[in-house]
Amino acid sequence: MLKIAIVDKIHQDGINLLKKNSKFEFEIIEDLSKKNLISKLPSFDGITLRRGVIDEEILNKCKKLKVISRHGVGFDNVDTKFLKENNIKLLVTATTTSVSPAEHIMFMIINISKGIDFFDKSVRNGQFGSVMHMNHQTFELSTKKILIIGFGRIGRKLIKRCLGFEMKVYVYDPYVEKNLVETSGGIKIDNLSDGLKEADIISLTVPLTKETSNMINLDKMKIMKKNAVIINTSRGGVVNEKDLNEALNQKIIYGAGLDVFEKEPPDNNNPLLKNRRVVLSPHAATFTPECLSKMSIETVQNIIDFFDNKLNKNSLAKI
Ligand SMILES: NC(=O)c1ccc[n+]([C@@H]2O[C@H](COP(=O)([O-])OP(=O)(O)OC[C@H]3O[C@@H](n4cnc5c(N)ncnc54)[C@H](O)[C@@H]3O)[C@@H](O)[C@H]2O)c1
């Protein structure tokens, strides 16, 4: 029997799929400390990985390991260099992890542009009349320009939703063809700064890499419009948090929506937690029952297909 470690609990639908397959036995590992992972993981043939960090030291001890199946599409919590050198495959949930994140980006854009939190509080506080002619900054999305940075699975779902709101969509992604952007209804930007200057909304849907780390810092924010809104649902560290807080406080830009943080959970004294110009969520872009169920099934199906030699190439992470 092949032994699978489920590192960090996943939706029951995925676990049930593994339960039904007599080829596998599995254990759910909920203590994600390095001490626990290093003692538990060496006996497994495959791992499903949601949260938890699997570094070189842990991998070095996993002599039987053939595959890691990520519950998700980002893989900055795994030592990919080690995997590559040791021919351990890394799989991602390529087909199920984009609709909810794209909707989450729209939720943040709508929340900010319609002043949802402000209005809600005002009505509850008995200020119904006084907010009717207020000067709280709300804005129409129609004809506004959005810059999508990273035109992969989520970016391509997002563009459809933005076009539905009659927004003008710019795309910055040096690794995709102009033709793909244009046939999707967008305009490809070759120079990031050109896009940042034009956009009312900037949404980041890139992986965290050496190239994208700190991609949006104070210098970049200074070239944005004063009414610009940054939405980061990709990974903390792509947008510099200290710079973002400063840019918001100094009114260099208007607002931000953050689902991801440099440190998760963020420290209580992270000033962004008190900044009223930011809408926050707890790395929750996939947190819908539909998405979590589908992701858990795809995570497990990828492991099954790998051991059955039936793996769809799209599931293999490009490392
Ligand atoms: N908040 C969440 O819960 C959540 C959920 C899913 C994904 N994510 C994050 O979102 C990221 C994107 O997901 P995806 O499925 O669309 O990934 P993807 O791999 O399909 O697309 C990423 C795109 O970014 C582009 N890119 C890479 N480097 C770039 C750069 N320097 N400048 C511009 N573009 C660049 C790539 O060419 C690619 O088209 C993931 O890597 C993950 O970290 C977060």
Side-chain angles (χ1 to χ4, degrees):
M1 276 239 250
L2 292 159
K3 285 187 72 180
I4 307 299
I6 298 185
V7 175
D8 200 15
K9 202 167 187 305
I10 58 175
H11 193 283
Q12 192 61 36
D13 290 347
I15 295 174
N16 289 346
L17 181 63
L18 201 54
K19 253 187 203 162
K20 277 197 296 199
N21 196 310
S22 57
K23 243 192 204 172
F24 301 99
E25 57 177 294
F26 69 92
E27 182 180 337
I28 300 172
I29 298 177
E30 293 194 72
D31 173 359
L32 305 178
S33 67
K34 181 160 174 171
K35 189 167 163 256
N36 188 49
L37 295 181
I38 215 162
S39 84
K40 283 271 170 80
L41 293 181
S43 63
F44 290 92
D45 302 281
I47 294 171
T48 73
L49 176 65
R50 194 174 175 188
R51 291 171 308 167
V53 176
I54 306 226
D55 64 12
E56 183 183 359
E57 208 184 327
I58 298 174
L59 287 168
N60 235 324
K61 299 234 182 300
C62 297
K63 303 293 180 206
K64 293 171 68 185
L65 186 67
K66 292 160 203 74
V67 63
I68 296 181
S69 179
R70 264 283 291 137
H71 178 281
V73 289
F75 40 80
D76 38 278
N77 54 342
V78 195
D79 186 328
T80 49
K81 187 167 168 273
F82 186 97
L83 297 187
K84 210 170 166 180
E85 284 168 5
N86 292 277
N87 196 28
I88 298 168
K89 300 296 179 214
L90 179 63
L91 317 178
V92 292
T93 49
T95 62
T96 54
T97 316
S98 47
V99 171
S100 279
E103 289 183 359
H104 199 86
I105 295 167
M106 290 312 293
F107 137 73
M108 287 189 147
I109 294 173
I110 291 167
N111 188 310
I112 294 166
S113 65
K114 303 302 156 207
I116 292 173
D117 294 340
F118 174 79
F119 281 150
D120 182 86
K121 221 169 269 152
S122 303
V123 175
R124 288 174 203 275
N125 290 342
Q127 292 161 329
F128 191 102
S130 61
V131 294
M132 285 183 80
H133 303 289
M134 49 81 228
N135 53 15
H136 182 75
Q137 188 173 338
T138 53
F139 55 93
E140 273 188 354
L141 293 179
S142 177
T143 74
K144 291 292 182 303
K145 297 170 183 164
I146 182 167
L147 173 67
I148 298 180
I149 303 180
F151 199 57
R153 290 165 292 231
I154 299 172
R156 289 172 214 181
K157 289 277 191 307
L158 178 61
I159 192 171
K160 292 184 191 169
R161 286 148 180 84
C162 295
L163 292 172
F165 276 85
E166 301 178 320
M167 296 170 83
K168 189 164 184 181
V169 183
Y170 295 101
V171 169
Y172 175 74
D173 188 330
Y175 306 104
V176 300
E177 298 291 331
K178 189 175 179 191
N179 190 34
L180 174 67
V181 175
E182 288 181 350
T183 52
S184 308
I187 300 163
K188 189 165 188 263
I189 297 283
D190 293 324
N191 180 315
L192 178 59
S193 298
D194 291 345
L196 296 177
K197 264 183 228 159
E198 281 289 319
D200 302 290
I201 298 165
I202 294 114
S203 172
L204 292 126
T205 41
V206 287
L208 176 62
T209 63
K210 274 191 198 134
E211 207 183 55
T212 62
S213 171
N214 224 20
M215 187 179 201
I216 303 297
N217 57 18
L218 193 57
D219 287 344
K220 292 284 191 317
M221 294 176 208
K222 280 183 179 162
I223 62 175
M224 293 176 188
K225 292 178 176 174
K226 283 214 173 349
N227 67 304
V229 169
I230 298 174
I231 309 288
N232 186 17
T233 59
S234 63
R235 281 292 181 268
V238 172
V239 176
N240 184 301
E241 283 180 7
K242 196 170 148 281
D243 289 2
L244 177 63
N245 194 54
E246 191 179 331
L248 291 166
N249 288 340
Q250 291 187 17
K251 304 200 166 112
I252 292 168
I253 61 166
Y254 174 66
L258 298 180
D259 184 48
V260 288
F261 300 85
E262 287 169 7
K263 178 167 179 265
E264 293 186 2
D267 289 331
N268 286 340
N269 62 2
N270 182 330
L272 286 169
L273 303 194
K274 294 209 170 66
N275 197 321
R276 301 307 305 170
R277 288 169 167 261
V278 197
V279 169
L280 304 169
S281 58
H283 202 142
T286 57
F287 284 12
T288 59
E290 295 91 337
C291 188
L292 291 176
S293 164
K294 286 184 280 185
M295 281 173 78
S296 73
I297 291 171
E298 188 174 9
T299 305
V300 169
Q301 192 63 53
N302 280 344
I303 284 260
I304 296 171
D305 289 347
F306 171 83
F307 283 108
D308 284 347
N309 278 322
K310 283 192 204 151
L311 191 70
N312 182 326
K313 267 197 195 146
N314 289 337
S315 306
L316 268 177
K318 293 181 189 78
I319 54 175

